[in-house]
Amino acid sequence: MTETTSTSGNDDVLEYLLRLGDDRLVLGHRLSEWCGHGPILEEDIALANISLDLIGQATLYLGLAGETEGKGRDADSLAYFREGVEFRNLQIVELPKGDFAFTIARQFLFDVFSLHQLEQLQKSANKELAGIASKGYKEVRYHVRHSSEWLQRLGDGTAESHSRAQKALDELWRFTGEMFVGDDVDQRLGAAGVAPDLGEIQAKWRAMVSDVIQRATLSIPSDTFMMAGGRSGRHTEHLGHMLSEMQIVARSHPGAAW
Amino acid sequence: MVTGTARKTPTARESLLDLLSSIKDPELPVVDIVELGIVRDIIVDGDSVQVDVTPTYSGCPAMQVIEQDIVQALEADGFTNVKVRYVFSPPWTTDWLSDRTKTKLRESGIAPPMAIEGAEMNDLVTLRRTRKTISCPYCGSANTEVKSEFGSTACKAIHYCNSCHQPFDYFKDF
């Protein structure tokens, strides 16, 4: 009985680490699609830098996930050799990059979530997880500054940038509810002091997001139907297409090194 | 040179720190990895040694090169079993850079990091928040502006001096 309990606790941690890693891996890949296509040189570099931070964070979470699982899988094998249904990321991060306003709005909505999530995770009872989160937290502070300032410039810029930013927020809003939908894993890890309380994160997210949207002279979309399912492997049609591109080299040349 | 025989140098931690001081950050060759503060501990056990390092940024591509350099340097010193372990807590901070290191950065045209402030959450999202004044590493002018908080490497931001009209890197406070 004791053994069963401890194994299931381990499974929860593994599941949770995959969620943290996959959010950042998928979003990092989406951002990397801007490399060479940014609206101005400095912004091209900024998006590539943020992408690198996110993929770096993903590597750490997935590496720890592999160790936790104990079956010899490392970060690369988890990133490149899992199918779409095995990915645990939020649907919002897998949507195609869209125009610059869409990329910035999505980044902003996720950055603020990530900021408050990592702030809490620094206190996690899982010390390895807490250490990785404390590094990511410092990086995400720069990310929030970047995306919140851009959202304000777009919203308070020209009529066209304003309407594109508003359209992006309206399209993205139904994907934000999923960030705060907890399941049994969240509950058990919350009770064990490993994972933070999603309700608390939601309140802080809501306050900061509303503040910036108002400063940007944009309107907060109304809460209607919310998409969900990414955490249990149900994804939009976009993830598969993205993974086929992201994974093809590793799958065509398994074990290749250079 | 790996000889397979006993190591040439004493095992004192200080002497190994001296040895590791010969390894430069590949993206910032004026600074070595000990000055950078990423070497957190060295544990010697006979001919085995473990070096604890902490990455600067999660995705810093220089880490792999640095790890190889550490292994190479210690094997050349006679260690037969070199292990590099990554530690994440406490997280690396630019506050660990000494004044001497900061001077070296400035002399090579990189404005050194300012001390970390305990910024409030709201400061993160204020478009016109008060920014720190970063002095130009070339002419010393305070009349500079930030062009982008993301630059040529993860640890640098792009700034511009309005006095000497020179773009320069700022080593981000982190």
Side-chain angles (χ1 to χ4, degrees):
Chain A
M1 282 304 281
T2 319
E3 201 181 339
T4 316
T5 315
S6 93
T7 308
S8 117
N10 212 41
D11 286 351
D12 284 347
V13 173
L14 170 61
E15 177 72 21
Y16 193 72
L17 288 167
L18 290 176
R19 294 175 184 183
L20 287 166
D22 289 345
D23 279 351
R24 286 149 185 87
L25 174 64
V26 173
L27 185 57
H29 188 85
R30 281 299 186 207
L31 272 185
S32 77
E33 294 171 351
W34 279 98
C35 190
H37 302 275
I40 50 169
L41 181 60
E42 286 82 356
E43 190 51 25
D44 197 289
I45 294 168
L47 293 175
N49 263 281
I50 296 167
S51 166
L52 185 65
D53 281 345
L54 290 172
I55 294 170
Q57 292 172 16
T59 308
L60 301 178
Y61 290 120
L62 294 181
L64 185 56
E67 284 173 31
T68 304
E69 185 188 46
K71 292 182 182 167
R73 293 204 283 183
D74 61 8
D76 279 348
S77 48
L78 288 168
Y80 296 121
F81 294 94
R82 276 183 302 150
E83 305 301 322
V85 291
E86 297 173 272
F87 273 74
R88 293 292 179 260
N89 58 279
L90 299 165
Q91 292 177 355
I92 192 171
V93 297
E94 72 203 33
L95 302 173
K97 73 183 197 304
D99 61 11
F100 184 65
F102 188 88
T103 279
I104 289 298
R106 183 242 304 269
Q107 200 61 35
F108 169 68
L109 296 170
F110 179 81
D111 286 344
V112 177
F113 166 65
S114 179
L115 179 80
H116 292 110
Q117 181 187 44
L118 298 188
E119 185 190 27
Q120 299 292 318
L121 272 175
Q122 297 180 92
K123 296 177 281 190
S124 172
N126 183 316
K127 291 301 163 213
E128 288 88 6
L129 172 52
I132 295 172
S134 65
K135 176 157 292 293
Y137 176 70
K138 295 170 73 162
E139 292 161 0
V140 172
R141 290 178 65 91
Y142 273 97
H143 301 176
V144 167
R145 219 141 79 182
H146 170 265
S147 59
S148 67
E149 292 186 356
W150 262 116
L151 192 69
Q152 291 171 76
R153 288 200 172 88
L154 294 175
D156 198 17
T158 65
E160 182 174 1
S161 71
H162 179 93
S163 76
R164 286 194 189 210
Q166 186 64 57
K167 184 164 168 276
L169 283 177
D170 293 344
E171 283 176 15
L172 284 160
W173 202 253
R174 68 182 187 278
F175 292 95
T176 58
E178 191 184 10
M179 295 171 177
F180 312 108
V181 179
D183 62 3
D184 293 350
V185 173
D186 290 290
Q187 272 184 4
R188 286 193 294 264
L189 291 182
V194 173
D197 176 41
L198 286 168
E200 193 181 323
I201 295 175
Q202 183 170 24
K204 289 180 172 173
W205 179 88
R206 181 83 197 192
M208 191 183 261
V209 162
S210 305
D211 176 38
V212 172
I213 290 178
Q214 278 160 9
R215 287 172 200 255
T217 71
L218 295 163
S219 311
I220 300 162
S222 51
D223 291 315
T224 51
F225 172 75
M226 288 290 180
M227 303 286 288
R231 295 296 191 216
S232 51
R234 282 181 289 128
H235 293 282
T236 67
E237 69 271 31
H238 306 295
L239 181 67
H241 292 282
M242 197 206 90
L243 291 181
S244 67
E245 189 175 288
M246 190 184 88
Q247 296 178 330
I248 190 164
V249 174
R251 289 184 179 220
S252 303
H253 307 278
W258 60 86
Chain B
M1 195 175 180
V2 185
T3 59
T5 56
R7 289 178 308 98
K8 293 166 283 186
T9 49
T11 53
R13 197 172 173 279
E14 287 67 27
S15 72
L16 291 176
L17 273 176
D18 277 351
L19 181 67
L20 294 180
S21 300
S22 64
I23 300 172
K24 305 294 182 195
D25 179 337
E27 289 187 332
L28 209 65
V30 293
V31 176
D32 69 63
I33 61 171
V34 175
E35 292 176 307
L36 195 59
I38 63 174
V39 177
R40 306 308 300 157
D41 205 358
I42 302 174
I43 301 147
V44 178
D45 180 15
D47 276 357
S48 298
V49 62
Q50 173 181 304
V51 182
D52 286 354
V53 295
T54 188
T56 51
Y57 286 75
S58 300
C60 180
M63 281 314 299
Q64 288 176 10
V65 179
I66 291 172
E67 180 178 339
Q68 286 166 9
D69 288 349
I70 291 173
V71 171
Q72 212 169 20
L74 290 169
E75 282 182 352
D77 195 49
F79 285 101
T80 51
N81 181 17
V82 181
K83 187 179 173 217
V84 175
R85 188 178 70 133
Y86 289 94
V87 294
F88 297 96
S89 186
W92 178 79
T93 164
T94 46
D95 282 352
W96 292 346
L97 269 58
S98 67
D99 287 344
R100 188 173 147 267
T101 307
K102 289 178 182 175
T103 305
K104 276 164 77 171
L105 284 172
R106 193 181 296 107
E107 284 168 354
S108 68
I110 299 167
M114 315 268 285
I116 306 286
E117 287 173 5
E120 293 295 315
M121 277 293 181
N122 282 338
D123 286 352
L124 291 178
V125 298
T126 309
L127 197 54
R128 291 186 182 80
R129 70 183 186 282
T130 319
R131 291 180 187 273
K132 297 170 202 169
T133 304
I134 311 295
S135 300
C136 173
Y138 296 106
C139 72
S141 166
N143 183 13
T144 65
E145 60 182 301
V146 59
K147 287 292 183 190
S148 172
E149 285 196 310
F150 299 89
S152 56
T153 66
C155 55
K156 294 185 218 121
I158 307 169
H159 284 245
Y160 187 79
C161 177
N162 293 318
S163 296
C164 69
H165 300 288
Q166 177 78 20
F168 65 91
D169 278 333
Y170 167 57
F171 198 105
K172 289 194 272 198
D173 48 288
F174 185 75

